Amino acid sequence: GGAVVDLETGRRLSQCVLSNEQALQILDIVRQYHVMYDPYVQGRGITQSSFFEHMEEFGISPAVQKLVRATRDVVPDQYMVETKNCAEKINVFLADLSDKESLREELSSVEGLAISSSMYNNLEINAEAATKGNALLWLADHLGIPREETMAFGDGENDISMLKAAGTGVAMGNAAEDVMSAAGYVTTSVDENGVYNALKHFNII
């Protein structure tokens, strides 16, 4: 939800970002916990070499570790202070899951944030208006597509706004209960060709 990007040209069509001041406030809070944190700046995650060397401490599976290595750049710890960059979002992986709700509560003291989670061991912090739902509605308007003719698929907490905004919101069969409740239809799991089965159910294919 932080940006709508033309994948062919790389051009940003719309964006809603955390200010540098907000990003630094967030980082000051998360550094008090045993976490790995990745701000996203201009479409790339940034992180420190110390995190790269110990990703298993934060419950990150080998498959996700491979993804993290492909999508993050290693920078000095003071990068955000020195560059004064804004951030599309800040992702946090927690070593201790018991910290998740207390960290979420502490982060909620910072004004103008949307805090969600897409994995059991992470929190995702965006600007308040930077939701997938708002991004979907902006894109539909940009393309001249009525909201009622849009469809969205999701399985994580960060997908709830999108499932509610779409004309047809589809939750995967492996989604959490609150995600399923936000959807108009529940398909089979990701491993059971859930997207294909939903498209077949709605006679799209």
Side-chain angles (χ1 to χ4, degrees):
V4 178
V5 179
D6 184 329
L7 294 181
E8 187 173 335
T9 65
R11 184 167 68 93
R12 288 182 172 231
L13 305 177
S14 174
Q15 67 175 14
C16 182
V17 299
L18 296 162
S19 69
N20 181 258
E21 181 182 0
Q22 285 176 308
L24 294 179
Q25 279 185 274
I26 293 163
L27 293 176
D28 282 345
I29 292 171
V30 302
R31 285 186 181 117
Q32 299 172 46
Y33 293 80
H34 187 192
V35 299
M36 173 178 173
Y37 50 86
D38 305 319
Y40 279 69
V41 177
Q42 299 176 353
R44 292 281 296 181
I46 59 171
T47 192
Q48 280 74 59
S49 58
S50 59
F51 293 148
F52 257 29
E53 294 162 7
H54 302 284
M55 282 194 276
E56 66 283 350
E57 284 185 23
F58 307 98
I60 304 173
S61 69
V64 176
Q65 286 188 36
K66 185 177 179 181
L67 173 66
V68 168
R69 292 184 190 281
T71 56
R72 268 67 160 180
D73 296 322
V74 176
V75 299
D77 193 38
Q78 292 300 303
Y79 179 87
M80 292 299 290
V81 174
E82 294 169 357
T83 63
K84 296 181 168 54
N85 277 323
C86 298
E88 286 99 17
K89 78 171 181 179
I90 297 176
N91 180 69
V92 178
F93 288 109
L94 296 105
D96 186 347
L97 296 182
S98 67
D99 288 335
K100 190 171 185 177
E101 290 312 312
S102 58
L103 176 54
R104 185 194 287 260
E105 185 176 347
E106 195 167 349
L107 287 167
S108 67
S109 67
V110 180
E111 287 190 16
L113 302 185
I115 304 167
S116 62
S117 178
S118 60
M119 291 180 275
Y120 77 96
N121 62 337
N122 89 323
L123 287 174
E124 297 181 10
I125 306 119
N126 289 73
E128 192 169 27
T131 65
K132 290 185 179 183
N134 285 342
L136 173 69
L137 294 176
W138 186 94
L139 182 60
D141 182 65
H142 178 74
L143 296 174
I145 299 171
R147 184 197 69 82
E148 293 76 16
E149 295 182 17
T150 63
M151 178 179 280
F153 297 83
D155 61 1
E157 179 190 339
N158 62 339
D159 296 318
I160 289 175
S161 66
M162 179 175 63
L163 296 177
K164 289 181 175 179
T168 303
V170 181
M172 308 307 291
N174 55 294
E177 193 62 40
D178 56 345
V179 180
M180 291 186 185
S181 298
Y185 180 74
V186 178
T187 184
T188 53
S189 72
V190 173
D191 294 332
E192 298 170 313
N193 301 315
V195 173
Y196 171 82
N197 289 330
L199 294 175
K200 195 171 180 181
H201 171 83
F202 289 103
N203 299 313
I204 295 172
I205 57 174

